[in-house]
Amino acid sequence: MISQRSRRLSWLSVALSVWLASCGPSPNSPPPASPALAGPSGTSQILIKDFKFIPASLSIKAGTQVTWVNHDDEAHNVIISDGMGRSGAIDTDEKYTFKFNKPGEYHIRCSMHHRMAGTVVVQ
Amino acid sequence: MSDDRTLQSRRDALKCMAYGAGTLFTLVGGVLAPIDLALAAGTPKERLGKPLFVQISDTHIGFSKEANPDVNVTLKQTIALVNGMVQQPALIIHTGDITHLSKAAEFDLAQQMLSQLRTTELHTVPGEHDTSDATVTEYFDRFGKASNRKGYYSFDHSGVHFIALINVLEFKPGGLGILGAEQLAWVASDLKGRSASTPIVVFAHMPLWTIYEPWGWGTGDADQLTEQLRRFGSVTVLNGHIHQIVQKMEGNITFHTARSTAYPQPIAGQGKGPGPLKVPADQLTKMLGVSSVSVVNHPHSLTIRDSTLG
Ligand SMILES: [Cu+2]
């Protein structure tokens, strides 16, 4: 019962943040990409496409598993805050998953394409 | 007249390099000159010079996508081409991206295939595809001995000084890969006291001059290397990475990037990024190849300023 209730609460917070965004001062500002991609079940996904991490910035709760999926013809890899985590090469349609247990701001990059950069904020 | 003919044949050779099967580097009067392999076959030996080395690049063993479903076949064709040279080169240089995914099996297969070359002296530098494993050890376990696992080293052959550099591990945040202060200091000590008349060959995976920064086609601190090379009379800088030939002359320094043996890449800025370029099947082998360098005897071999390609 408790878990059901907390899940309902997290849904509420997502709905609330979307509502707040829609009432923001700039009606043309882009929608908040990260909460939409953060699922309620402790998993989240980052797409690798056209040599970019999408979304470039992701906010998650501690304990969330993040999965990177490569949709490019080129291989990439994922390096998390230089030393926290490092994938092998991720070929087309392959995935890499990392669980973020500790709160903080993590820098994400690809050692093969230095312009590819992102952030994961763990609350 | 003969100068003109030399230049003309050079122009023809460079034209062949853009579309032909491979290039041979000859050392003529201490000057390294790239010559198309197909053209070299019909050129009198005394004009061709002594074949010094062949540059193979971006073999990407393990790649199997549409742009080239069988990179093993095209590497085998490359090896057959080199083995078919009447005069065998003294050594082979591989300028990186030996493998596609840094997997042990890919490195093993690549080593096995490269061992089929008649010329057995092989020198390598890693590409970013060779250092993409989680532990960054697969390349160095196999090819790290020459550099004590650092990735940079030098050696001499036929009076030419060769310098192998690594520019795929360190980087400028958000920008280009770099050589780094430690490696640049090592280059300075390696070149110290060396005669300016010594022909120098520098090779690394990523271009050592900026071809296209948004795609990482350059090296962030390469100008600090170029400064050190300026006093030498003949410098040849060889790179891979961009899977196409681009050349530049700057003083006595010739910069040259090689084709891949695996798949072509787009011209700088054409498309979303530097990924594999799909071309019609009958076009593919015309866009793959090797480069080869010999020693030639005409001072005008230096004059190739109209040679920018790509
Ligand atoms: Cu990448």
Side-chain angles (χ1 to χ4, degrees):
Chain A
M1 285 312 277
I2 289 168
S3 70
Q4 192 130 40
R5 187 181 156 161
S6 68
R7 194 176 297 166
R8 205 174 287 147
L9 273 174
S10 72
W11 273 115
L12 186 69
S13 72
V14 170
L16 192 68
S17 67
V18 169
W19 177 76
L20 282 172
S22 69
C23 295
S26 160
N28 289 327
S29 64
S34 45
L37 276 162
S41 54
T43 64
S44 195
Q45 202 178 80
I46 294 176
L47 203 68
I48 303 175
K49 195 166 163 44
D50 298 334
F51 295 76
K52 287 186 181 83
F53 294 116
I54 305 167
S57 180
L58 177 73
S59 286
I60 51 167
K61 287 204 171 88
T64 303
Q65 278 198 339
V66 177
T67 299
W68 285 262
V69 188
N70 181 12
H71 282 201
D72 271 346
D73 282 345
E74 167 70 319
H76 299 283
N77 67 4
V78 170
I79 293 170
I80 302 158
S81 285
D82 296 323
M84 282 294 302
R86 182 175 169 126
S87 74
I90 308 168
D91 204 1
T92 309
D93 296 328
E94 286 184 352
K95 295 171 182 183
Y96 169 68
T97 298
F98 183 87
K99 191 173 180 183
F100 289 88
N101 287 320
K102 275 172 75 176
E105 189 175 322
Y106 298 84
H107 299 284
I108 311 299
R109 64 182 189 93
C110 165
S111 79
M112 304 163 83
H113 310 99
H114 301 307
R115 283 221 165 187
M116 293 176 62
T119 315
V120 172
V121 179
V122 182
Q123 277 133 10
Chain B
M1 280 315 275
S2 72
D3 292 3
D4 288 348
R5 264 166 51 200
T6 305
L7 281 175
Q8 188 53 50
S9 69
R10 175 140 327 240
R11 261 181 225 120
D12 291 344
L14 289 165
K15 219 160 77 189
C16 287
M17 278 165 61
Y19 306 105
T23 318
L24 168 77
F25 287 79
T26 54
L27 187 55
V28 182
V31 173
L32 290 169
I35 295 176
D36 182 80
L37 270 188
L39 190 90
T43 309
K45 214 172 95 182
E46 62 277 8
R47 283 200 41 213
L48 188 60
K50 181 184 164 208
L52 184 57
F53 66 91
V54 163
Q55 179 191 5
I56 294 177
S57 200
D58 295 85
T59 46
H60 284 266
I61 296 305
F63 180 85
S64 60
K65 300 291 181 313
E66 219 182 325
N68 182 357
D70 201 339
V71 297
N72 298 350
V73 165
T74 46
L75 177 54
K76 275 180 194 155
Q77 286 171 348
T78 303
I79 290 167
L81 185 76
V82 176
N83 283 347
M85 287 168 66
V86 180
Q87 269 196 296
Q88 285 294 289
L91 50 107
I92 309 285
I93 285 177
H94 195 308
T95 42
D97 282 358
I98 298 165
T99 68
H100 193 59
L101 304 168
S102 298
K103 288 183 177 167
E106 294 175 348
F107 276 112
D108 291 345
L109 179 58
Q111 270 190 312
Q112 187 208 317
M113 290 177 81
L114 292 168
S115 73
Q116 300 302 305
L117 284 158
R118 280 170 65 194
T119 300
T120 53
E121 185 174 338
L122 172 70
H123 299 274
T124 67
V125 285
E128 79 284 2
H129 280 261
D130 299 318
T131 52
S132 64
D133 50 327
T135 51
V136 203
T137 50
E138 296 292 351
Y139 172 84
F140 294 101
D141 285 349
R142 291 164 180 80
F143 299 100
K145 206 178 160 192
S147 69
N148 203 13
R149 294 181 83 95
K150 283 176 187 282
Y152 54 85
Y153 58 100
S154 67
F155 59 94
D156 293 274
H157 205 293
S158 309
V160 177
H161 186 63
F162 292 82
I163 302 175
L165 300 176
I166 181 166
N167 54 4
V168 296
L169 287 187
E170 287 186 65
F171 69 106
K172 273 185 179 171
L176 296 167
I178 58 169
L179 297 160
E182 195 184 316
Q183 186 172 197
L184 283 163
W186 172 82
V187 172
S189 66
D190 183 75
L191 290 174
K192 200 179 170 190
R194 227 168 265 284
S195 157
S197 62
T198 309
I200 307 280
V201 173
V202 178
F203 60 102
H205 179 65
M206 301 225 179
L208 285 162
W209 83 103
T210 303
I211 295 175
Y212 191 60
E213 183 165 356
W215 284 5
W217 289 4
T219 302
D221 53 4
D223 51 334
Q224 293 175 59
L225 172 73
T226 314
E227 271 318 305
Q228 299 191 39
L229 296 169
R230 275 192 214 291
R231 71 177 178 92
F232 291 91
S234 164
V235 181
T236 307
V237 177
L238 303 172
N239 304 113
H241 189 56
I242 68 170
H243 297 211
Q244 60 198 291
I245 289 173
V246 175
Q247 271 208 163
K248 186 182 88 151
M249 294 277 294
E250 198 183 305
N252 295 330
I253 308 173
T254 302
F255 297 86
H256 177 272
T257 62
R259 287 196 194 88
S260 162
T261 69
Y263 55 84
Q265 284 196 344
I267 292 166
Q270 306 266 306
K272 299 253 168 113
L277 178 69
K278 288 163 212 154
V279 297
D282 62 333
Q283 292 297 305
L284 178 63
T285 52
K286 294 174 186 168
M287 300 177 82
L288 309 176
V290 294
S291 301
S292 133
V293 180
S294 346
V295 194
V296 198
N297 278 316
H298 203 290
H300 289 280
S301 310
L302 273 174
T303 322
I304 47 171
R305 291 177 205 279
D306 60 343
S307 64
T308 309
L309 303 169

